[in-house]
C-alpha cells in the first residue's frame, strides 16, 4: 500500500487551530472574492454569487509543517481552477498570491492551484467553516503543507514571478510539498 503519512509527520484526530494574529470576523454580506492580476478578465463575486456556482466536495488529508497530519477531512466549496479559467490567465501568468484578512498572503504555483481537489472551501464535514478554521472562506490545497491553505481568503492575484508571502518571507519554502519535506527555504 502506498504510504499515507508524509515523512516526519504524526497523526492527530483533533483539529488544531493555528494562525498568526487574531481571528478576524468576516461579514458574508460585505464579502467579495476577487480574481485579478495577470488575467484578461478580472472579476469579483459576492457571497451569494459564489454559492450559486457549481459546488464540489473533496475528502482529503492535511499536513501542517509543524508536524501534525489529519486524515479524511471533507471540505465543500468552489473549484479554484474554475475561477482561474473564468478570469482567463495571460500567457505569462505562472504563480498566484492569495490575499487574506489582516494582510496575510501566501504564494503558490498556478499548476498547483489548477488541480481538481483544490477548493475555495466554505464547509467542513457539511457544516459552515468556523471563524477559527478560516470561515467564511479558505483555500484548501491538500497536497501542499497546510500553511498554503490560506484562511479568510478574499483574493487571488496572478503573477509572472513567484513572490514570497507571509510565512515564505519568514523562511518557509516557496512550494511546500510535504512528500519532499519542503519545509524551509533551503530544502530542495
Ligand atoms: N490567513 C491565514 N491563514 C493561514 C495561516 C495564517 O497564519 N493566516 N496559517 C496557516 C497554517 S500554518 C496552518 S497549519 C493552517 C491551520 O489551519 P487550521 O487552524 O484550520 O487548522 O492555516 C494556514 N492558513
Ligand atoms: Mo501550519
Amino acid at each position: 500500500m502506498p504510504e499515507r503519512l508524509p515523512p516526519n509527520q504524526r497523526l492527530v484526530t483533533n483539529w488544531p487551530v493555528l494562525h498568526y494574529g487574531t481571528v478576524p470576523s468576516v461579514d458574508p454580506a460585505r464579502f467579495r472574492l476577487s480574481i485579478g492580476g495577470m488575467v484578461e478578465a478580472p472579476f469579483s463575486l459576492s457571497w451569494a454569487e459564489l454559492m450559486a456556482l457549481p459546488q464540489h466536495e473533496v475528502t482529503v488529508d492535511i499536513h501542517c509543517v509543524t508536524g501534525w497530519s489529519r486524515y479524511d477531512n471533507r471540505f465543500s466549496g468552489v473549484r479554484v481552477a474554475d475561477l482561474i479559467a473564468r478570469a482567463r490567465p495571460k500567457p505569462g501568468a505562472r504563480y498566484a498570491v492569495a490575499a487574506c484578512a489582516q494582510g496575510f498572503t501566501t504564494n503558490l504555483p498556478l499548476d498547483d492551484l489548477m488541480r481538481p481537489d483544490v477548493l475555495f472551501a466554505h464547509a467542513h464535514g457539511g457544516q459552515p467553516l468556523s471563524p477559527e478554521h478560516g470561515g467564511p472562506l479558505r483555500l484548501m490545497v491538500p497536497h501542499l503543507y497546510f500553511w498554503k491553505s490560506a484562511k479568510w481568503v478574499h483574493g487571488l492575484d496572478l503573477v509572472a514571478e513567484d513572490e514570497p508571502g507571509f510565512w515564505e518571507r519568514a523562511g518557509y519554502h516557496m512550494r511546500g510539498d510535504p512528500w519532499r519535506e519542503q519545509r524551509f527555504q533551503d530544502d530542495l
Side-chain angles (χ1 to χ4, degrees):
M1 231 174 52
E3 186 56 67
R4 187 169 180 186
L5 194 63
N8 295 306
Q9 294 292 110
R10 64 184 181 282
L11 198 57
V12 300
T13 50
N14 61 327
W15 187 5
V17 171
L18 222 62
H19 52 260
Y20 179 80
T22 55
V23 175
S25 84
V26 181
D27 179 1
R30 293 159 167 257
F31 175 87
R32 293 201 80 81
L33 175 65
S34 304
I35 314 292
M38 280 187 76
V39 297
E40 303 289 351
F43 64 92
S44 77
L45 301 169
S46 69
W47 187 257
E49 288 166 336
L50 184 74
M51 298 304 280
L53 294 176
Q55 303 290 316
H56 296 274
E57 204 170 83
V58 298
T59 300
V60 294
D61 300 343
I62 56 186
H63 310 292
C64 171
V65 72
T66 62
W68 57 268
S69 292
R70 189 174 192 274
Y71 289 164
D72 294 323
N73 300 273
R74 184 161 61 91
F75 288 99
S76 331
V78 171
R79 269 195 188 131
V80 174
D82 290 352
L83 298 192
I84 290 175
R86 171 166 164 183
R88 290 192 278 122
K90 292 184 178 174
R94 292 181 51 226
Y95 298 90
V97 179
C100 306
Q102 298 169 330
F104 181 89
T105 57
T106 192
N107 54 303
L108 303 110
L110 215 47
D111 285 346
D112 284 305
L113 287 174
M114 294 305 284
R115 296 198 187 190
D117 59 350
V118 172
L119 300 181
F120 284 111
H122 54 71
H124 177 268
Q127 298 300 317
L129 262 189
S130 67
E132 308 80 67
H133 286 301
L137 195 70
R138 77 179 298 165
L139 262 184
M140 181 46 51
V141 189
H143 67 283
L144 298 179
Y145 280 125
F146 205 30
W147 89 80
K148 298 288 184 180
S149 291
K151 305 201 272 193
W152 315 297
V153 67
H154 59 68
L156 205 55
D157 253 312
L158 276 62
V159 292
E161 305 291 337
D162 204 5
E163 297 169 11
F166 180 85
W167 291 116
E168 294 82 6
R169 282 196 295 275
Y172 286 89
H173 198 273
M174 292 294 269
R175 177 152 184 265
D177 180 346
W179 297 97
R180 299 184 191 174
E181 275 203 83
Q182 293 174 335
R183 297 174 191 272
F184 306 109
Q185 57 190 11
D186 293 334
D187 297 334
L188 293 179

